[in-house]
Amino acid sequence: MNLEKQVEQFKSLQETLSAYHIAGSLINWDMSTGGSKKGMGYRAKAIGIFTMKAFEIQTSDEMKTCLDVIGSRLEDVDEVIKRMYVLHKKEYDKNMKIPKDEARAYAELQAKSQIIWEEAKEAQDYSMFKDILGEIIEYQKKFVNYRGFEGHPYNPLLDDYEEGMTVEILDEYFENLKKHIVPLLKEITATELPYNTSFLTNSFPVDKQKEFCIKLMGDLGFDYDAGEVKESVHPFTNGLNVNDVRLTVRYFENLMTSSVFSAAHEGGHAIYEQNIDPKFEFTGLDTGVSSGIHESQSRTYENIICRSKAFWNYYYPTLKTFFPDELSEVTVEDFYAGINKVENSFIRVEADELTYSLHIIIRYEIEKAIMSGEVTVDNLPTLWNEKVKEYLDLDVPNDELGVLQDVHWSFGLFGYFPTYSIGSAYASQFAYYLKEAVNFDEDLEKGNYENVNNWLKEHIHQYGSLKTPEQLMIEATGKRFDSKYYVEYLTNKYKSLYNL
Ligand SMILES: [Zn+2]
């Protein structure tokens, strides 16, 4: 079989897949940012058709021939084709191992489950959600067995969102984190912050917040000629193409800093997508490589840059020009303390930088126990509440603030949560070496983000999905992923803020 011909065919299949992906993403963007309410049904149907068409291509005989031929001649193709091969082969094998009728039944279950979750959450009643969650879990367990795995049955699910991630790596990571953060948190909660942080819940006009966030993202490096910003209930970033990256922010009148950091966060995701080398267009490699690496970039902008003292030493006067009255009594020290204040809370998405990973540990340990069969759906709320007590020292008052708070399980997203925490840990490791290469604090004190952006672009962004998360980490930092950087970053930052 002619290799060149198969490579051309392979590229052409990918181009069609990319086109379907763009179409589906555009419809989704439209649905989330103001498309008519009554039009939800027809749009969802169109997305369903595009998804089905893409699935047909991914599992087609043409794809199989491409994979067979290219797979037997990997030494003769370039690095882009090789990487495309690895990713498609993985997807193909996964899809072929799951019986089609079961995959369809599962998709129908997912579609129903989200509404049931919403109703249960609103009623604060886990028992309404329990049965369908149990069905979803049974499918996940079956699929994992069809797919086959090494080590823990949770491993293939972790690998779906973070290539190469395993229970073995995460157990060590989370244990080390727990060992250091739980006692540090106890010390912190026994201490009073010597700053006035009451401004956090004051009223800040939403139109001014918007103007500020637009300016902030532009200054950080978001290119408005290659993207756009809208509003939605759940902020997200949609990278259609390096020249067309869309993101949303949400604004709360009484939580100005929450709006600002959601903008910095999504801005980080978007800058990553805009900095990918345009040569990857329509190869499927023109997007961030994994959820963990993507999250590491959003957290770099949100936390490493925008929650630092050096950043606000320069940028705080700018913020004050937007809110001269609201911030007239607030010093930059108060502001910095306010945006980094540690508080044990029930809700993951509202958690501060320090307690955030404890929320993820709870979900990680529970998902692991679900996959190994150590916990049943009946016992989930009890287990959840016990862990919240143990790590965050809180008594969960109801399921809405407990086991029902996140949407993920309702569409079978098991294995995803850990990437949120890994992202922060990756960010700390990258930042350690970034700070060795550039004058980080000095640059931020001058409002100069160019050196930081260039380092991130050179070591991470430009590659899109060409390199695996592990390759990126080793090539950028010279080391494999190591939790010590994150522990060190959190310990130094919070000991200094709380004078411990
Ligand atoms: Zn994110």
Side-chain angles (χ1 to χ4, degrees):
M1 191 67 82
N2 184 320
L3 178 65
E4 256 170 58
K5 216 179 109 199
Q6 286 307 317
V7 167
E8 283 316 305
Q9 167 77 343
F10 189 44
K11 283 186 188 166
S12 154
L13 290 176
Q14 176 56 53
E15 284 192 358
T16 309
L17 286 172
S18 292
Y20 282 139
H21 173 72
I22 292 169
S25 299
L26 275 172
I27 298 171
N28 183 51
W29 169 260
D30 187 52
M31 283 210 287
S32 313
T33 59
S36 70
K37 203 174 163 186
K38 285 185 178 169
M40 285 297 252
Y42 97 97
R43 287 191 217 99
K45 183 169 176 179
I47 289 183
I49 291 170
F50 283 132
T51 310
M52 195 181 71
K53 287 282 167 199
F55 183 81
E56 283 170 9
I57 292 174
Q58 282 168 324
T59 54
S60 63
D61 293 342
E62 288 90 340
M63 181 60 86
K64 183 175 187 310
T65 309
C66 289
L67 293 174
D68 286 347
V69 173
I70 296 169
S72 67
R73 302 275 303 275
L74 277 182
E75 67 283 1
D76 298 322
V77 296
D78 65 33
E79 57 174 1
V80 173
I81 297 295
K82 200 182 277 177
R83 180 67 173 152
M84 284 167 64
Y85 165 81
V86 168
L87 296 174
H88 274 294
K89 174 81 175 129
K90 194 168 155 186
E91 204 55 31
Y92 181 87
D93 288 345
K94 185 171 124 185
N95 286 329
M96 294 312 276
K97 282 179 183 164
I98 296 171
K100 293 216 163 44
D101 55 331
E102 287 186 32
R104 202 172 307 124
Y106 179 64
E108 280 164 22
L109 197 63
Q110 280 175 307
K112 272 194 292 189
S113 156
Q114 203 180 330
I115 298 159
I116 296 175
W117 166 77
E118 267 166 33
E119 287 166 357
K121 186 180 173 207
E122 206 178 304
Q124 306 184 335
D125 184 359
Y126 172 76
S127 71
M128 290 164 63
F129 180 54
K130 189 184 79 176
D131 291 342
I132 197 157
L133 178 63
E135 284 183 68
I136 287 180
I137 289 171
E138 283 318 306
Y139 271 112
Q140 284 289 354
K141 286 185 178 170
K142 259 204 277 188
F143 292 168
V144 160
N145 280 322
Y146 290 140
R147 290 167 64 182
F149 56 87
E150 274 174 42
H152 200 282
Y154 191 23
N155 282 347
L157 300 178
L158 294 170
D159 182 78
D160 280 344
Y161 305 103
E162 197 60 22
E163 199 178 351
M165 197 46 72
T166 62
V167 160
E168 291 70 28
I169 298 172
L170 286 183
D171 275 352
E172 198 185 318
Y173 164 65
F174 283 126
E175 279 309 314
N176 193 32
L177 217 55
K178 246 186 341 197
K179 195 171 95 192
H180 292 91
I181 291 181
V182 174
L184 178 61
L185 185 61
K186 288 218 165 83
E187 266 187 272
I188 285 174
T189 42
T191 319
E192 273 294 319
L193 252 189
Y195 299 98
N196 182 3
T197 60
S198 58
F199 73 92
L200 285 169
T201 49
N202 286 355
S203 163
F204 292 82
V206 163
D207 55 335
K208 287 281 157 199
Q209 291 191 30
K210 279 185 208 172
E211 280 175 38
F212 175 76
C213 288
I214 295 290
K215 176 173 170 48
L216 172 70
M217 286 186 284
D219 286 347
L220 288 173
F222 181 74
D223 177 1
Y224 284 97
D225 290 329
E228 67 174 301
V229 177
K230 284 197 178 180
E231 276 176 63
S232 73
V233 188
H234 303 286
F236 68 99
T237 299
N238 195 341
L240 297 163
N241 174 279
V242 294
N243 290 311
D244 192 356
V245 180
R246 301 160 186 227
L247 68 88
T248 65
V249 183
R250 53 143 169 58
Y251 304 96
F252 298 114
E253 188 173 335
N254 292 93
L255 286 173
M256 178 270 286
T257 57
S258 166
S259 316
V260 168
F261 289 103
S262 88
H265 182 96
E266 298 308 324
H269 280 304
I271 291 167
Y272 179 13
E273 292 278 323
Q274 286 183 334
N275 278 340
I276 292 171
D277 192 326
K279 76 177 179 193
F280 296 129
E281 204 169 77
F282 281 94
T283 64
L285 307 185
D286 53 347
T287 187
V289 63
S290 68
S291 308
I293 294 289
H294 231 305
E295 204 58 17
S296 78
Q297 296 314 290
S298 58
R299 305 270 170 184
T300 296
Y301 286 88
E302 178 192 354
N303 293 337
I304 309 273
I305 298 173
C306 288
R307 275 188 222 269
S308 74
K309 187 73 198 317
F311 177 82
W312 290 105
N313 281 346
Y314 175 84
Y315 219 86
Y316 192 58
T318 305
L319 180 66
K320 276 186 117 167
T321 63
F322 285 81
F323 305 107
D325 300 332
E326 293 84 350
L327 292 173
S328 63
E329 306 286 307
V330 183
T331 66
V332 67
E333 285 77 19
D334 290 337
F335 186 78
Y336 173 72
I339 60 173
N340 287 297
K341 192 176 174 180
V342 174
E343 230 159 354
N344 290 357
S345 63
F346 294 108
I347 301 292
R348 172 184 64 86
V349 293
E350 287 162 15
D352 54 76
E353 229 184 315
L354 187 72
T355 56
Y356 190 85
S357 280
L358 296 175
H359 287 266
I360 302 301
I361 292 174
I362 292 166
R363 287 153 182 78
Y364 169 72
E365 293 181 346
I366 293 178
E367 288 189 355
K368 203 175 107 181
I370 288 174
M371 290 312 292
S372 64
E374 285 162 64
V375 64
T376 63
V377 277
D378 293 314
N379 299 329
L380 282 187
T382 313
L383 184 62
W384 181 285
N385 297 351
E386 279 169 13
K387 289 193 183 287
V388 171
K389 183 70 187 166
E390 187 184 348
Y391 303 144
L392 293 162
D393 196 25
L394 294 171
D395 296 301
V396 179
N398 60 57
D399 295 336
E400 187 190 7
L401 291 174
V403 70
L404 286 177
Q405 66 180 269
D406 284 304
V407 67
H408 303 57
W409 290 347
S410 78
F411 38 81
L413 226 54
F414 293 91
Y416 191 87
F417 281 118
T419 68
Y420 291 128
S421 174
I422 299 163
S424 299
Y426 283 168
S428 303
Q429 186 164 342
F430 286 135
Y432 183 90
Y433 291 91
L434 162 71
K435 287 174 182 178
E436 283 196 341
V438 308
N439 293 320
F440 187 80
D441 282 354
E442 266 173 52
D443 280 351
L444 261 47
E445 302 257 7
K446 288 188 215 134
N448 173 5
Y449 315 111
E450 208 185 329
N451 296 326
V452 172
N453 282 333
N454 286 341
W455 191 92
L456 295 169
K457 182 176 180 176
E458 187 192 331
H459 291 89
I460 303 156
H461 300 174
Q462 61 158 326
Y463 296 112
S465 299
L466 183 69
K467 296 173 188 288
T468 65
E470 185 173 47
Q471 273 174 321
L472 277 181
M473 184 54 81
I474 291 174
E475 287 173 24
T477 74
K479 304 261 169 24
R480 301 182 96 134
F481 170 51
D482 189 335
S483 59
K484 76 172 185 194
Y485 297 95
Y486 188 34
V487 167
E488 217 173 84
Y489 163 79
L490 289 172
T491 310
N492 292 342
K493 176 169 180 172
Y494 286 99
K495 285 210 160 176
S496 155
L497 179 65
Y498 280 84
N499 292 324
L500 297 170

